[in-house]
Amino acid sequence: MCKDIDGVIYDTASSTIDKKFTYGAPGDPCGYEETLYITSDGRYFIYTYGGKNSKYPTENVTPVTRDYVKSWILSH
């Protein structure tokens, strides 16, 4: 997924996966994934996607700060 947010391109194809959390089994309508990426210039973002009954029924990209990354990892 590629998304322009405030003039910054966040692209899952050209960024590096740092952490990934998966909830539920493949095909589970309530299951979802949260994947932390880092861009080549050091920006972090979280890619989310899940089943139709999950909290992420559509793909999304959310830019996050380094401080948020620390709390996000600890919360999983």
Side-chain angles (χ1 to χ4, degrees):
M1 175 178 202
C2 185
K3 190 171 185 180
D4 181 327
I5 301 173
D6 296 328
V8 177
I9 303 296
Y10 297 92
D11 187 358
T12 57
S14 63
S15 298
T16 303
I17 294 175
D18 192 334
K19 299 280 184 209
K20 183 174 187 175
F21 297 100
T22 303
Y23 302 91
D28 180 354
C30 294
Y32 61 91
E33 294 182 351
E34 297 176 331
T35 308
L36 175 67
Y37 284 87
I38 185 167
T39 65
S40 61
D41 63 349
R43 296 175 189 262
Y44 289 95
F45 67 96
I46 297 174
Y47 167 78
T48 53
Y49 186 62
K52 65 180 181 176
N53 297 329
S54 74
K55 65 182 193 176
Y56 304 116
T58 58
E59 287 182 293
N60 196 29
V61 166
T62 305
V64 293
T65 65
R66 186 177 184 92
D67 286 338
Y68 181 84
V69 167
K70 293 174 188 175
S71 65
W72 179 80
I73 290 171
L74 291 174
S75 71
H76 288 80

